[in-house]
Amino acid sequence: FSTAITITEQPVSVSVPVGYSFTLRCRAQGRSSLQYQWFCQYQSDCRLIPGATNQDLPIIAEQTQLYTCRVNDLHRNAVFSDWVKVEVHQCVARGLPPRLWQGEPVIVLNPQEQRVEVGQPLELQCAAMGVPAPSYQWYRNGNLLEQQKRKKLQITHSKVSDSGTYLCCASNSHGEHWSNAVDVHIGEQSQPTSLCCMSPALFLLVFVSATGKIALLVGNNRYQHHPNLMAPVRDVFELRHLLEHLGFQVVSLLD
């Protein structure tokens, strides 16, 4: 006669600094006495933890690993708890939790400003410690990004509309903590943004791109049915120096 086993309290994932002491908990109910056995997995190696046969598993954080607990009864029924992740931060300088830390989120990795070409991938990263492990939510220009709920924000093919100010909120049952706000610039391919005719003999074509400003000056000095003009030569020379002073790369041509 077999009886079911029900997990009543699942262990929870945590994100902690190296050397931090904490306890994973698992609770279950059954119609006969229950036995517990904890397992851990590092990379592809899953192994039984010797002596870890209690409901509680004390841990001193050393490296990031996965854990699960097997519960079995006298009738050879067995169930496994959820796999949980113990994320261990080896290098934590600023953001180290205060001495009276209660597990509230503490940001340990802030996103960095990005400049990305149109169509290229955009990636921002945020990381926080917390017990339980924090959940993440990204925002752009103060607006919630519904699909961006991981530590790493990823946009496969960025668009100009993806430009803006980004920040991430890390939260758990103890509270929330916000990352630094960073600007993301998505550049457009070079396109002429201004075309003006200075005179019948002088044309200015301006290109503004993500990488710089370029001006093309064309001065027409000779016409088939018109006397030679001297103004284009002088205008190209003077306008070239003005545009260079404004930070443009200038290409000037005559005739």
Side-chain angles (χ1 to χ4, degrees), residues 231-243:
V233 177
R234 183 186 68 245
D235 291 346
V236 167
F237 178 80
E238 293 180 353
L239 193 54
R240 176 191 182 97
H241 283 279
L242 174 62
L243 289 169

Side-chain angles (χ1 to χ4, degrees), residues 15 41 49 54 65 67 82 115 118 168 172 184 190 200 202 204 211 250-251:
S15 182
Q41 179 175 340
I49 303 174
N54 296 320
Q65 294 186 123
Y67 292 84
D82 297 337
R115 293 183 179 272
V118 171
C168 183
N172 64 12
V184 171
S190 297
L202 181 63
L204 169 62
T211 55
V250 182
V251 177

